[in-house]
Amino acid sequence: MPRQREGEPAPPSTRIARDFGELQAWARAMDVPLTVVDEDWQSVTYEAVTLVPGERVCCRFRDMLPRETALRRLARTYVVGMSHQVGDGECYHARQIITPCLRSHGSIAREQAAVLAAALVETERRAVCGATAATLRTHLVERAVDWRP
């Protein structure tokens, strides 16, 4: 188990809710908001976090989407590969992005995916490797259904 850094919050104890109603009831009882913590083409994961004397406690629920909805989201999912300079080397990032609109023309959807991926990488990794939307170079934008590694 990795050591906790000084000043870093302790990892939360996690409780898995059986359904969305149970998660909502837990969040109401603890008076905390629900947030989306993970999302892919087939599911959305919700979480509520609270502090119980000296410990972070969270409750999660992974909501599996209906098949039709999941397939529509898969059709809008792109794999985006980007890189940027770090010292004498390159740092590579890849993200799966669900574009906002299914009816967008292919080139517009690809552009949306690249912009969203760059913003996501900057948000997640800027403090670690210095990635910014301005320094990232996109080298791959491909529909997930067509992508072959």
Side-chain angles (χ1 to χ4, degrees), residues 52-143:
V52 176
E55 183 181 9
R56 286 182 67 211
V57 178
C58 76
C59 186
R60 281 188 172 190
F61 175 68
R62 183 173 183 221
D63 188 15
M64 297 302 294
L65 299 171
R67 185 175 194 278
E68 298 79 23
T69 302
L71 291 174
R72 280 194 306 272
R73 287 169 63 104
L74 177 59
R76 297 186 349 247
T77 301
Y78 285 81
V79 175
V80 182
M82 299 155 290
S83 65
H84 63 99
Q85 282 291 131
V86 178
D88 292 337
E90 288 279 316
C91 184
Y92 290 88
H93 302 273
R95 295 293 182 276
Q96 271 191 20
I97 300 295
I98 301 169
T99 58
C101 184
L102 180 60
R103 293 196 174 112
S104 290
H105 185 269
S107 61
I108 294 171
R110 289 178 190 285
E111 188 176 313
Q112 289 174 345
V115 168
L116 291 169
L120 185 61
V121 168
E122 179 172 348
T123 300
E124 295 173 349
R125 305 296 295 174
R126 184 175 191 164
V128 177
C129 65
T132 66
T135 61
L136 288 163
R137 290 181 309 283
T138 302
H139 58 84
L140 171 77
V141 180
E142 193 166 329
R143 289 182 58 189

Side-chain angles (χ1 to χ4, degrees), residues 7-86:
E8 187 176 276
S13 297
T14 303
R15 176 176 191 255
I16 306 298
R18 289 177 298 234
D19 57 39
F20 191 72
E22 181 180 326
L23 174 63
Q24 285 181 311
W26 189 89
R28 264 194 312 274
M30 297 297 170
D31 194 30
V32 293
L34 290 176
T35 57
V36 174
V37 292
D38 192 32
E39 184 175 4
D40 58 27
W41 63 271
Q42 60 189 348
S43 68
V44 178
T45 302
Y46 300 93
E47 179 181 84
V49 179
T50 190
L51 288 174
V52 176
E55 183 181 9
R56 286 182 67 211
V57 178
C58 76
C59 186
R60 281 188 172 190
F61 175 68
R62 183 173 183 221
D63 188 15
M64 297 302 294
L65 299 171
R67 185 175 194 278
E68 298 79 23
T69 302
L71 291 174
R72 280 194 306 272
R73 287 169 63 104
L74 177 59
R76 297 186 349 247
T77 301
Y78 285 81
V79 175
V80 182
M82 299 155 290
S83 65
H84 63 99
Q85 282 291 131
V86 178

